Amino acid sequence: MSRIALATALLAFAVATAYLTLRSPARIVLDGAGLLSDDETAYLSVYHGYLLEDHGIDYRVVTTVDEHAILDQAVSLFESLGVGSRGDNGGGLLLLINPATDQVRLEVGFSLEGLFPDAFVAYIESRQM
């Protein structure tokens, strides 16, 4: 095999691996608090995979028992996890659940703020969760 063919094959493999890693449903749910069963995690991963595929919404769920302020932690996780980067329009949602502090936070990406205004998100956080 020539060097060019080998380099092309390696590049194609790297691109395919990167694509599958970014689209991997297993990374949609990060259950640091151990709240979810394997079946629940799998269900959420599949469901959120459909949201991404059908609507371009990169929706992640993170559970934690960290004692940091949930607002700061949600913003930091939103950025560090690249929430919204998997969708076509940059639409991202991050649901952060902290059972240790009995708090939840729904962080909304810029392109979804029209669909999820602050008042609606505050209502969902305080009344529905």
Side-chain angles (χ1 to χ4, degrees), residues 11-115:
L11 179 61
F13 177 75
V15 169
T17 301
Y19 176 80
L20 292 174
T21 299
L22 287 174
R23 296 289 182 171
S24 172
R27 307 222 356 116
I28 291 174
V29 178
L30 301 172
D31 187 19
L35 293 178
L36 304 169
S37 69
D38 290 342
D39 289 341
E40 291 167 329
T41 299
Y43 175 80
L44 285 173
S45 295
V46 169
Y47 185 79
H48 290 191
Y50 289 133
L51 282 174
L52 178 62
E53 186 176 313
D54 294 344
H55 303 288
I57 297 174
D58 184 6
Y59 186 11
R60 318 270 185 105
V61 175
V62 177
T63 68
T64 184
V65 291
D66 195 339
E67 295 293 330
H68 289 98
I70 198 162
L71 176 60
D72 296 336
Q73 191 176 15
V75 170
S76 175
L77 281 168
F78 195 92
E79 292 173 4
S80 68
L81 294 174
V83 177
S85 64
R86 296 181 191 200
D88 296 332
N89 62 359
L93 294 170
L94 171 71
L95 177 61
L96 179 60
I97 304 167
N98 190 332
T101 60
D102 199 29
Q103 293 180 318
V104 296
R105 174 71 184 163
L106 182 61
E107 194 67 28
V108 179
F110 182 74
S111 67
L112 293 177
E113 286 181 353
L115 297 172

